[in-house]
Amino acid sequence: MTGHRKPAVCVLGTGLIGGSVLRAAFDAGYETWGFNRSEAGAKAARSDGFDVRSDVEAVLGRAADSDALIVIGVPMPALDAVLSDIRTFAPNCALTDVVSVKGPVAKTVHRHDLGAKYVGGHPMAGTSESGWAASTPTLFKGAAWAVSVDPGVHAEPWTQVARLALDCGAVVVPVLAAEHDRAVARISHLPHILAEALAIAGAGGGPLALGLAAGSFRDGTRVAATAPELVRAICEPNAEALLEVLDDSLRVLTAARDSLRDTDSIAQLAAAGHDGRNDYDTFQRWAITGITPGDHDWLAKLADAGRRGGVLENLD
């Protein structure tokens, strides 16, 4: 996108997602810099030509002086410490995040009295790899980027966050935090749990099973290659929604087991699963138009549109 004023962007945490935001924003013409708690990680980014430091006071002082948009790219366990630093050194900056759960993040942000300019965000993109070396400016191309439209969100910071997502190559899905968390429990967090279970089952078959394993096992366990501490940081903060969908899945698996035991058939599971995958393959996003941030009832209108599969492809 062109033609709009780009705020400076300060990214806190330059791993896979935060680092990719930094790279993509830089490529889109934003003034960018960042913070990484590990000096080794900061040095790796600097060696690639990016201004990333391990001195949080200096990084956030620059953000305050520049009225930057701060992007929190740390996992949930590190959020309190980062928000405490923001409260101390840059409390008046617009603020967003790329954490995979939204309700707990918003609650923590407000506990630190930083809610006035906060807009939750979550780009639906990633790999099983982590760290600066895994980051890429093209990670978000064509991806959905959830942007919060909860009551109390203000139009100016919301527009900055949405434009950043669009400039990084994504489409914007406006969403309420609670609805986001229930949705990602099904399509992001549950797959981690199932992949771990499948990897355990495969390894339990010993060398023969692993020697015979091919595409279905490889694809089904891809995200099990993610570092265990990152899987925990992704899934555990969304425990309530994840428990609900785990219960649903256990009922499905139990019914399939009982059917296989009693009738030698998994016909119902196979048919329903095929239909579910077909729903995904044939799903069509549609472009939201005619809703301007700041207009009457704009948050509720965007939430309804996002709920029905709408995305923002531009704000012009």
Side-chain angles (χ1 to χ4, degrees):
M1 295 182 63
T2 58
H4 59 271
R5 187 189 73 82
K6 292 179 169 69
V9 170
C10 171
V11 180
L12 307 181
T14 56
L16 169 64
I17 304 300
S20 295
V21 172
L22 188 69
R23 290 179 185 271
F26 177 84
D27 282 2
Y30 289 80
E31 179 188 2
T32 61
W33 66 92
F35 163 78
N36 199 75
R37 195 167 300 278
S38 161
E39 175 57 28
K43 185 177 180 180
R46 290 197 301 273
S47 70
D48 285 342
F50 291 87
D51 187 0
V52 177
R53 307 288 167 176
S54 58
D55 182 348
V56 70
E57 181 176 356
V59 168
L60 286 175
R62 180 179 174 185
D65 291 342
S66 303
D67 194 24
L69 170 61
I70 297 174
V71 181
I72 299 174
V74 302
M76 190 71 190
L79 184 63
D80 256 316
V82 166
L83 289 173
S84 179
D85 289 333
I86 294 171
R87 173 75 184 276
T88 300
F89 301 117
N92 297 315
C93 286
L95 181 64
T96 188
D97 71 287
V98 292
V99 181
S100 65
V101 65
K102 297 275 63 76
V105 172
K107 183 178 179 179
T108 308
V109 167
H110 284 279
R111 191 170 70 243
H112 285 265
D113 294 324
L114 292 169
K117 292 186 175 181
Y118 170 69
V119 180
H122 179 204
M124 300 301 299
T127 72
S128 61
E129 299 176 342
S130 60
W132 171 262
S135 65
T136 168
T138 60
L139 184 66
F140 311 114
K141 296 295 185 184
W145 192 312
V147 179
S148 169
V149 287
D150 286 88
V153 167
H154 296 290
E156 183 176 354
W158 190 91
T159 301
Q160 287 186 351
V161 173
R163 286 198 187 278
L164 174 63
L166 293 168
D167 286 340
C168 287
V171 295
V172 169
V173 179
V175 65
L176 298 174
E179 294 181 359
H180 166 276
D181 292 352
R182 289 194 295 271
V184 297
R186 292 182 175 275
I187 53 82
S188 179
H189 302 169
L190 179 65
H192 278 280
I193 302 295
L194 297 180
E196 306 291 359
L198 180 57
I200 292 167
L208 177 60
L210 295 177
L212 292 170
S216 58
F217 182 78
R218 181 187 63 247
D219 295 345
T221 60
R222 180 184 64 83
V223 294
T226 305
E229 61 273 17
L230 291 180
V231 175
R232 293 186 62 192
I234 289 167
C235 294
E236 291 177 353
N238 203 22
E240 183 178 354
L242 185 52
L243 283 169
E244 181 179 335
V245 70
L246 268 171
D247 284 341
D248 288 347
S249 299
L250 288 170
R251 282 190 287 269
V252 169
L253 290 171
T254 299
R257 180 205 62 192
D258 292 347
S259 178
L260 187 62
R261 179 194 61 208
D262 298 338
T263 69
D264 295 327
S265 175
I266 56 164
Q268 185 174 357
L269 176 72
H274 184 271
D275 288 346
R277 173 66 195 211
N278 187 61
D279 287 345
Y280 169 71
D281 287 336
T282 59
F283 179 78
Q284 295 288 327
R285 297 167 174 162
W286 56 274
I288 301 169
T289 59
I291 304 174
T292 301
D295 284 356
H296 174 70
D297 216 20
W298 67 281
L299 290 168
K301 290 176 180 177
L302 283 176
D304 178 66
R307 194 178 296 122
R308 294 184 290 109
V311 300
L312 285 163
E313 297 175 342
N314 63 73
L315 291 178
D316 299 324

